[in-house]
Amino acid sequence: MLPSDLTLPTKACHNCRKRRWKCDRSLPVCHKCMSSGAECLGYGKLFVWNQGVASRGKMMGKTFESKLKTKQGGETTRKAVKSKENQLSQQSEGPRNGELPENTVEVEEIPRQQTNDMALSTTLIDPLYQDLSPNSRYYLYHFVTQICMDLVIYDGGPGHNPFRDLVPATTAFPTLLHIILAGSAHHVFNISRDPITPSTYQPEKRPCLVQYYQAVSRFGGPMKTSYADALLAKQQALSFMAKSVASVTPANIDVILAAILMFINYDLIESGRDKWRVHIEGARELIARLDTPPYLQEPMSKLRLAVLADFLVFFVIGATFTFATSRVLIPESIDLDPILKYAETNNYLSLPGPLLRIMVESFKLDDTREDASEDIPVHVQDEIGELLKAALDFDPADWVATFEPAGPIDNLDHRLHIASAHRAAVCIYLARALPYTNPLIDPNSGSALLNLTDLADEILHQVSYLKPGDTLYKSISWPLFLAGAECEGVARRVWIMDKLDEFYELLYWGYVHTAKKILEIIWSCKDKYGANTSCWISDIKELGYEILIA
């Protein structure tokens, strides 16, 4: 089924016409080209990208790669550049009227959707980005139009998505630029290695994939070097980061923290294994400065709120496979309320603030165990029991009744479902800090506060109400994973795997593959040793993994 904004082509693609092949006129690209290994040049206007050299003005002697100029458009292009210059608050003086390269190729006007129009135009023609290669400009475009939407719940206009608003800062912060390019390139790699035909779990193609092939065709076809580009950009970002952390100031600390956050997002796009915790520990050293002048902000900027909220969520759910006390991430002198409020409203997991606070409280408990096989002291078990009761007392309906929507399209029914799923997941999260024989969770004790299998079923029930395309669908991965770890029965396992496939084919983040592999390990151990003979967290810890399921 084609997206509503696409129509079937009436002519063969340019490549088939040139080679006199019979074109199947498939979208987003011709299957004949794909099967032959040729690059499909599409069905519309054929765009030729050329290099030009400015002959006068401040850009004299410099090349302008891929400069667009419509037949109506010398003036239109110049207005777009001037508008963008004003938007970036005069961060750079670009070419003025009359300074377009002399041998810029003229092309007809490109029809585009309004949202992607501005993003593509600024990515291609903004003078601030002309030193980037065509691939890098596309990766920046991909970040703006795709990845930014995945990082928040509500992705409205200017000012609503602090991560998109960061893009102008990439001209002054090479660390931020290169880690954004790295994550975007790896995301493109994830997309481009998927088959273009629908899979069993993907009856309709995601618009992202169609848009990817449409947009990238303007750069000459799908990026064949995206994986290598990702590794190179990441290495460059690491090199710049070493210099950035040595020169932190009140003016740049939030951007540097945002760059560290993008390293974690890169790891999630790649696999979610091993490396993310190092970045959180590095961020902790900078976050510790934020409660004292001159770093203190009252009130905090939207960027700082967004960055701290994401760090806090990653820090807390990153402890899913451990119960080891740790230094707090955010100093107690910093007011946690606005951070929790932002986290529940616009962090993509939509974890209700009261539940997130309960999880933060668990880090304050003593843990005198030397390893995971030892029992927790009785007083710690009692304190975990109190946190469990607090989580069980959380009422998602009451929470939704006072919730302030993130935007005009926020669906409160969906918020209720995901809050209910998170409530059950937090209970599992806390319960698995206890020995599996503890009477609070042992179903044979007669005094258990909860039943872990019932909690898993509750998560599956609530998640079933959310469908691909729903804004909050991106919030299901962590509770769905915990449900998988606790569920019983082959039918439930198949449903969860199908749902994770569906989730991956919506977002293309590599940690979803890791989640599936870990669940297979957990289920294998359960089948071999019995569901009630050990805790799956201990099984995973023995493998030595550092995993983030977000």
Side-chain angles (χ1 to χ4, degrees), residues 13 16 20 82 92 164 174 242 258 284 309 330 446 460 502 548:
C13 73
C16 287
R20 299 182 182 273
K82 186 63 178 176
S92 172
R164 181 179 285 111
R284 186 203 300 276
I330 298 175
L460 301 187
E502 183 180 73
L548 182 61

Side-chain angles (χ1 to χ4, degrees), residues 384-399:
I384 293 174
E386 292 303 314
L387 292 176
L388 268 174
K389 291 175 183 177
L392 290 169
D393 289 341
F394 171 75
D395 189 327
D398 289 346
W399 175 77

Side-chain angles (χ1 to χ4, degrees), residues 323 325 365-371 374-380:
F323 182 70
T325 55
L365 303 180
D366 295 327
D367 183 6
T368 57
R369 288 176 300 175
E370 303 231 342
D371 60 64
E374 293 186 4
D375 287 340
I376 302 174
V378 174
H379 75 279
V380 176

Side-chain angles (χ1 to χ4, degrees), residues 107-279:
V107 297
E108 292 191 17
E109 185 177 359
I110 307 172
R112 296 181 294 262
Q113 294 181 352
Q114 183 175 359
T115 301
N116 289 342
D117 188 0
M118 178 60 70
L120 179 59
S121 297
T122 58
T123 302
L124 292 179
I125 69 173
D126 195 312
L128 299 178
Y129 303 114
Q130 291 304 317
D131 288 337
L132 297 179
S133 68
N135 278 21
S136 293
R137 289 204 302 279
Y138 176 71
Y139 297 142
L140 196 60
Y141 159 76
H142 185 76
F143 175 80
V144 168
T145 58
Q146 297 298 327
I147 297 178
C148 280
M149 294 189 296
D150 298 340
L151 299 178
V152 295
I153 290 294
Y154 177 61
D155 182 49
H160 285 94
N161 189 333
F163 300 109
R164 181 179 285 111
D165 295 341
L166 268 176
V167 171
T170 58
T171 60
F173 293 92
T175 305
L176 180 65
L177 171 64
H178 285 90
I179 193 56
I180 283 177
L181 295 179
S184 186
H186 207 293
H187 194 251
V188 167
F189 170 71
N190 289 350
I191 295 173
S192 60
R193 63 178 173 170
D194 276 355
I196 63 173
T197 53
S199 69
T200 304
Y201 309 125
Q202 189 182 20
E204 296 180 7
K205 295 300 293 181
R206 184 193 179 206
C208 168
L209 192 58
V210 176
Q211 291 171 3
Y212 163 69
Y213 278 106
Q214 285 183 322
V216 82
S217 66
R218 297 168 184 166
F219 293 77
M223 305 294 187
K224 296 182 178 180
T225 62
S226 55
Y227 184 70
D229 292 342
L231 296 181
L232 177 59
K234 182 185 177 184
Q235 189 60 41
Q236 292 173 321
L238 287 169
S239 177
F240 283 118
M241 177 59 75
K243 301 175 183 177
S244 296
V245 296
S247 56
V248 176
T249 68
N252 66 21
I253 190 169
D254 290 339
V255 178
I256 293 174
L257 282 170
I260 297 174
L261 183 64
M262 292 301 166
F263 273 96
I264 298 177
N265 285 319
Y266 175 91
D267 292 336
L268 287 169
I269 290 171
E270 183 185 55
S271 68
R273 292 197 302 263
D274 302 325
K275 307 160 194 172
W276 60 272
R277 191 177 293 280
V278 173
H279 303 310

Side-chain angles (χ1 to χ4, degrees), residues 425-494:
V426 169
C427 289
I428 294 174
Y429 173 94
L430 293 170
R432 279 311 185 184
L434 296 167
Y436 67 91
T437 56
N438 187 281
L440 292 177
I441 63 172
D442 184 357
N444 299 318
S445 68
S447 58
L449 283 175
L450 44 81
N451 183 291
L452 294 171
T453 302
D454 289 346
L455 289 172
D457 287 346
E458 170 68 6
I459 294 172
L460 301 187
H461 173 71
Q462 298 295 341
V463 165
S464 69
Y465 285 98
L466 298 171
K467 309 297 181 185
D470 293 339
T471 301
L472 289 177
Y473 190 78
K474 67 184 72 172
S475 307
I476 70 171
S477 57
W478 183 68
L480 186 62
F481 176 84
L482 288 176
E486 298 293 346
C487 76
E488 300 294 336
V490 174
R492 288 177 176 82
R493 294 178 181 180
V494 171

